[in-house]
Amino acid sequence: MLRAFLLAALGVVSAGAATPRMMNDVQVVGSHNSFKNRIPTAVMAKLRATEPKLAEALDYYHLPLSRQLDKGVRQLEIDIFADPDGGRYAAPKGEAWARAAGERTGFDPAAMAMPGFKVLHIPDVDYLSTCATLVRCLREVDRWSRAHPKHLPIMITINAADLSSGRPGITVPLPLDDKHLLDALDAEIRTVLPGRRLIIPDEVRGTSASLRDAVRRGGWPTLAAARGRIYIALDVRDAVSNVYRDGHPSLAGRAMFGWYPEDQPEAAIQIVQDPVAGGDTIRRWVREGMIVRTRTDANTVEARGNDHTKKRAALASGAQAVSTDYYPGAPDPLGLKFVVTLPGGAMARCNPLRLIGACRLTS
């Protein structure tokens, strides 16, 4: 009895206990900049000549989203750029360089000419995506999800670098601290993922006073109820996060979760870039009921050095989503053979901080 009490106090459940497993009781491998396609050779040549550090950091790319999901990836990241009138990103400078060199890139100017949120990494430079628009990306995930209705819940982080990069000649994005743009973002998401396709803040909050209180009291859906579904976290600067929750306390009525300080009523999901420096904080948050996404590598640095330090720290932290550029089967343009999985080559497992004892999990 004493052992059970102590485990409950720490937020840990015996895997063999009658308590149902919750959606935050798992740990999965995810991908970073999941939409990213290969940069054309002509563009990389220019980058290597002018910004070699940037070129080195960008020398990776990904499989289409559905193929990543086939490989067991269960967390995706999509970078968005607001384009309400269409055409803002329809003529990237990099595409002109590629065409001048005789390269065929697969760039779709017609899709980029239409109004709506676009998906790319860096305007004009790292502009190719396996799905050019947010709607296309979400539709691809939704199709895969409907074809695999028992899958573990898929976490999507939506990131927006919505301020000028300061690089000359690079298209300046529209700032997202605009309620109309954020309402339009929610609307695009709900168009593709209506009703219970999405796990949303209202469902998690339930009758609790706040979203923060809910997740600390076991408010996440059970794993059984979350299977076959998707949830989205908005990863943006503070000014955008604040506009997103303005008039929506605890994100009432919103389609996405956000990234807010732990003492705020909207705090349910946290993002920690460095699990080595942030490991203790991640462990505390995971035990308290929050969902955390962290990274195992960045900018090809760990892959080039065959350094698994961040990976080991990420797995041990209990972060529910450990994100990499090098899941099994990912393109390996540098021939580094750096691969990130959970122990035993798994892509998902019961969370080592939240469940103890024998535990089986299907992804």
Side-chain angles (χ1 to χ4, degrees), residues 10 15 38 61 82 84 118-119 142 147 178 184 195 199 218 251 266 325 333 337:
L10 289 171
R38 190 168 195 164
Y61 62 102
K118 304 304 189 298
V119 175
D142 184 54
D178 179 315
I199 298 167
L251 302 178
E266 294 78 18
D325 293 323
K337 298 182 181 179

Side-chain angles (χ1 to χ4, degrees), residues 38-44 46 92-107 124-125 127-128:
R38 190 168 195 164
I39 296 175
T41 302
V43 179
M44 281 300 282
K46 283 185 177 288
K93 292 177 177 62
E95 182 66 7
W97 300 337
R99 287 182 181 178
E103 287 185 71
R104 295 185 178 182
T105 66
F107 179 71
D124 297 292
V125 175
Y127 62 93
L128 291 175

Side-chain angles (χ1 to χ4, degrees), residues 80-94 107-120 122-125 127 132-133 161-165 169-176 181:
I80 61 163
F81 289 80
D83 189 15
D85 298 321
R88 192 175 187 88
Y89 304 98
K93 292 177 177 62
F107 179 71
D108 187 350
M112 301 302 273
M114 298 295 291
F117 287 88
K118 304 304 189 298
V119 175
L120 59 144
I122 301 174
D124 297 292
V125 175
Y127 62 93
T133 70
D162 66 325
L163 297 177
S164 172
S165 67
I170 298 298
T171 302
V172 176
L174 292 176
L176 266 181
L181 288 177

Side-chain angles (χ1 to χ4, degrees), residues 23-243:
M23 64 177 276
N24 58 319
D25 289 336
V26 301
Q27 185 177 61
V28 302
V29 175
S31 63
H32 160 253
N33 287 340
S34 311
F35 57 90
K36 189 177 178 317
N37 216 333
R38 190 168 195 164
I39 296 175
T41 302
V43 179
M44 281 300 282
K46 283 185 177 288
L47 283 177
R48 289 192 178 103
T50 58
E51 294 192 64
K53 288 285 188 183
L54 178 62
E56 189 173 276
L58 296 178
D59 205 357
Y60 68 94
Y61 62 102
H62 288 299
L63 299 173
L65 301 183
S66 56
R67 290 183 60 194
Q68 292 183 50
L69 294 168
D70 285 340
K71 298 289 185 182
V73 168
R74 293 294 178 268
Q75 177 261 317
L76 301 167
E77 180 182 47
I78 299 172
D79 286 6
I80 61 163
F81 289 80
D83 189 15
D85 298 321
R88 192 175 187 88
Y89 304 98
K93 292 177 177 62
E95 182 66 7
W97 300 337
R99 287 182 181 178
E103 287 185 71
R104 295 185 178 182
T105 66
F107 179 71
D108 187 350
M112 301 302 273
M114 298 295 291
F117 287 88
K118 304 304 189 298
V119 175
L120 59 144
H121 188 212
I122 301 174
D124 297 292
V125 175
D126 199 358
Y127 62 93
L128 291 175
S129 171
T130 60
C131 44
T133 70
L134 177 60
V135 167
R136 284 188 181 183
C137 293
L138 294 179
R139 281 178 179 163
E140 183 175 356
V141 175
D142 184 54
R143 282 194 300 269
W144 187 95
S145 173
R146 290 178 184 274
H148 303 80
K150 298 298 183 182
H151 67 76
L152 291 175
I154 297 168
M155 178 186 191
I156 299 176
T157 53
I158 289 185
N159 178 260
D162 66 325
L163 297 177
S164 172
S165 67
R167 290 186 173 92
I170 298 298
T171 302
V172 176
L174 292 176
L176 266 181
D177 51 350
D178 179 315
K179 186 178 184 300
H180 298 295
L181 288 177
L182 292 172
D183 288 348
L185 177 57
D186 266 10
E188 278 200 13
I189 291 168
R190 291 185 188 276
T191 296
V192 181
L193 300 168
R196 287 186 57 79
R197 296 297 295 135
L198 272 181
I199 298 167
I200 59 174
D202 286 343
E203 178 180 353
V204 174
R205 189 180 62 258
T207 59
S208 295
S210 70
L211 192 55
R212 179 185 183 278
D213 290 346
V215 300
R216 284 159 177 76
R217 296 174 182 173
W220 293 108
T222 64
L223 190 54
R227 283 187 178 275
R229 301 172 68 194
I230 297 157
Y231 65 110
I232 301 177
L234 184 61
D235 174 10
V236 288
R237 58 193 174 92
D238 290 347
V240 180
S241 290
N242 288 335
V243 172

